[in-house]
Amino acid sequence: MSDSKKPIKPEIPRKAIYRLSIYMRCLTRLQGNGIETISSEALAKAAGVKSTQLRKDLTYFGQFGTRGLGYDVEQLQAMISNLLGTSSLQPVILVGVGNLGSALLTYRGFEQEGFEVIAAFDQIPEAARKRTRFKEIRPMADMDEIVQRAGVRMAILAVPNLVAQEVANQLVKAGIVGILNFAPIMLEVPEDVTVNNVNLAIELENLSYFIQT
Amino acid sequence: MSDSKKPIKPEIPRKAIYRLSIYMRCLTRLQGNGIETISSEALAKAAGVKSTQLRKDLTYFGQFGTRGLGYDVEQLQAMISNLLGTSSLQPVILVGVGNLGSALLTYRGFEQEGFEVIAAFDQIPEAARKRTRFKEIRPMADMDEIVQRAGVRMAILAVPNLVAQEVANQLVKAGIVGILNFAPIMLEVPEDVTVNNVNLAIELENLSYFIQT
DNA sequence: AAATGTGAAGTTGTTCACAGCT
DNA sequence: AGCTGTGAACAACTTCACATTT
């Protein structure tokens, strides 16, 4: 599970924001199939939610449909993409090129979704280079300069637990305001910084609970 | 975000189960530091939750503390591990050794948490072998046999969207009852199968929303 | 007629306040 | 005295029912 602790706009449920991403993927697929208009009923089904929820989610941000008709696929897609801030390519850095970090660098899936990993950082860049083909591996000391020069606002944190807080502090100091944290600890960050936690082991453990006979 | 749709015991909030995993990690760390007893207050702080929530979460499963004293670290750890079904090593398979799949195989972090990836499957095993050093890469056709022989109950699904549902069906048929799904689609599965969804792109997108100025 | 937008009702999850052990 | 366990109050989120628009 992932988990952020930033309700900037407290009126809007955090889960609603996650669902926007899902709606957007569905819309992109529909667009690819040449479908121009869709009802909340049909889109909700594709997204795996109730149609009332979809409509409620959208109205947090405005009115985008036409009664009696439905939603314009392209227009709604553009609107959501814009809301999420993914309508332009966003630079991201990755910190910690160990086991998981190098795995994430290998996975080029972020690029397809509007994020570009412009640099990776590791305490021992030479060792890190042996684990990946990714070229831009830098020592931690270069972080400030690169973040500032490229105007990076988001970071993927994949360092060992013991140093996670310390590195998070460094990230914040460099100007990062969004952290995707893979370390299984609660990071303490200033109010204006958002942390989303992802932990694959916890997801497996959670499954493990539910599949018990 | 992760997301399962299986409330076998509807009284217990799903989020409470996730939190159990977090408590367990904290307890393991405390145990390593030689701490024998801890109050709900202190453990809750380490886990990043309110103490009342921790106590409520635990009482869904029974009474484990001593009033006036707190909880026995080792005992509580063992209890939660047992509840989650992670007290013994659990075999897992991975399906789809593409970009993400091979990244996940590279990441050996599951092993450290009580899960062993005993085999990986791909439609084109020869091509998949070029992406990873993991040895046990099999054609999809071998799935049934391996799952049954090893008594595997959990699978990590990292195939392209277009075939995700189809492969999920095959997994279910083979006897898998827990799926960690990385494809950004809602899988349709029988009631007795649990799906947890993880989508890294969605997590980044969600961050992207919150860091907007 | 068809489908959206939305206040109100319902449900689920969290926190409080305090009773009850040790 | 200190800290857990828990019903009751509260808050957040979801669903319903229906008025409204095309």
Side-chain angles (χ1 to χ4, degrees):
Chain A
M1 153 167 254
S2 59
D3 178 21
S4 144
K5 64 172 187 183
K6 185 67 156 325
I8 283 194
K9 294 158 183 165
E11 337 82 82
I12 302 172
R14 174 130 42 82
K15 284 184 166 185
I17 312 294
Y18 274 104
R19 286 190 298 262
L20 286 186
S21 287
I22 297 170
Y23 304 152
M24 213 185 59
R25 277 166 181 65
C26 294
L27 288 164
T28 305
R29 201 157 44 219
L30 289 165
Q31 221 174 345
N33 295 346
I35 291 157
E36 296 188 348
T37 291
I38 191 160
S39 68
S40 62
E41 196 70 52
L43 180 53
K45 188 164 187 193
V49 302
K50 289 236 157 61
S51 69
T52 46
Q53 177 148 77
L54 165 56
R55 294 203 298 276
K56 179 74 88 181
D57 285 346
L58 294 179
T59 53
Y60 288 125
F61 301 97
Q63 302 189 176
F64 306 100
T66 310
R67 296 176 196 218
L69 231 144
Y71 300 90
D72 181 296
V73 171
E74 186 175 343
Q75 185 188 304
L76 187 58
Q77 208 272 354
M79 191 283 284
I80 296 179
S81 171
N82 197 54
L83 264 174
L84 292 173
T86 54
S87 39
S88 61
L89 198 71
Q90 177 123 221
V92 176
I93 58 168
L94 183 144
V95 190
V97 189
N99 242 334
L100 177 58
S102 55
L104 292 172
L105 286 174
T106 306
Y107 170 54
R108 312 295 296 182
F110 300 130
E111 266 72 3
Q112 294 155 25
E113 307 279 354
F115 301 97
E116 186 189 1
V117 180
I118 62 153
F121 297 86
D122 200 279
Q123 235 154 7
I124 312 168
E126 306 77 45
R129 285 195 190 94
K130 288 178 188 152
R131 286 188 286 267
T132 176
R133 277 178 224 153
F134 189 83
K135 325 105 248 158
E136 280 293 299
I137 301 197
R138 305 300 196 90
M140 302 293 252
D142 292 5
M143 196 185 292
D144 266 63
E145 192 206 327
I146 291 177
V147 165
Q148 267 143 52
R149 205 174 43 203
V152 180
R153 297 165 58 73
M154 297 181 23
I156 298 170
L157 184 57
V159 300
N161 300 353
L162 282 169
V163 296
Q165 180 63 59
E166 183 192 332
V167 174
N169 296 344
Q170 197 181 344
L171 286 169
V172 170
K173 211 177 288 169
I176 294 294
V177 287
I179 300 176
L180 186 56
N181 173 39
F182 284 85
I185 68 160
M186 294 294 296
L187 298 176
E188 308 236 350
V189 295
E191 258 218 306
D192 58 317
V193 176
T194 306
V195 177
N196 275 17
N197 296 300
V198 174
N199 194 300
L200 303 180
I202 287 185
E203 294 296 334
L204 276 182
E205 245 169 59
N206 189 258
L207 263 189
S208 165
Y209 172 82
F210 285 106
I211 65 170
Q212 282 174 99
T213 40
Chain B
M1 160 198 132
S2 54
D3 178 19
S4 144
K5 63 171 184 182
K6 184 69 157 323
I8 282 195
K9 294 159 183 166
E11 336 83 80
I12 301 171
R14 173 129 41 82
K15 283 186 166 185
I17 312 294
Y18 275 104
R19 287 191 297 263
L20 286 186
S21 287
I22 297 170
Y23 303 152
M24 211 184 60
R25 277 167 181 65
C26 295
L27 288 165
T28 305
R29 201 157 44 219
L30 289 164
Q31 219 174 348
N33 294 347
I35 291 157
E36 296 187 349
T37 290
I38 191 159
S39 69
S40 63
E41 196 70 52
L43 181 53
K45 189 165 184 192
V49 302
K50 290 237 157 63
S51 70
T52 45
Q53 176 146 77
L54 165 56
R55 295 204 298 276
K56 179 74 87 181
D57 285 347
L58 294 180
T59 52
Y60 287 126
F61 301 98
Q63 301 189 177
F64 307 101
T66 310
R67 296 175 196 221
L69 232 144
Y71 300 90
D72 180 296
V73 172
E74 187 176 343
Q75 184 187 306
L76 187 59
Q77 208 270 354
M79 190 284 283
I80 296 179
S81 171
N82 196 55
L83 264 174
L84 292 173
T86 54
S87 38
S88 61
L89 198 70
Q90 177 123 219
V92 176
I93 58 169
L94 184 145
V95 189
V97 189
N99 242 334
L100 177 58
S102 56
L104 292 171
L105 286 174
T106 307
Y107 170 53
R108 311 296 294 183
F110 300 128
E111 265 71 4
Q112 294 155 26
E113 307 279 354
F115 302 97
E116 186 189 0
V117 181
I118 62 153
F121 298 87
D122 201 279
Q123 236 154 7
I124 311 168
E126 305 77 46
R129 285 195 189 94
K130 288 180 187 151
R131 285 190 286 269
T132 175
R133 278 177 224 154
F134 189 83
K135 326 106 247 158
E136 281 292 301
I137 300 197
R138 304 301 195 91
M140 303 294 252
D142 291 6
M143 196 186 291
D144 266 64
E145 191 206 327
I146 291 176
V147 166
Q148 268 142 50
R149 204 172 46 203
V152 181
R153 296 165 58 72
M154 296 180 26
I156 298 170
L157 184 58
V159 300
N161 301 353
L162 281 170
V163 295
Q165 180 62 59
E166 183 192 331
V167 174
N169 297 344
Q170 198 181 344
L171 285 169
V172 170
K173 211 177 288 171
I176 294 294
V177 286
I179 300 176
L180 186 56
N181 173 39
F182 284 85
I185 67 159
M186 295 294 295
L187 299 176
E188 308 237 350
V189 295
E191 259 219 306
D192 59 317
V193 176
T194 306
V195 177
N196 274 17
N197 297 300
V198 173
N199 194 299
L200 303 179
I202 287 185
E203 294 297 334
L204 275 182
E205 246 170 59
N206 189 258
L207 264 188
S208 165
Y209 172 81
F210 285 106
I211 66 170
Q212 282 174 97
T213 40

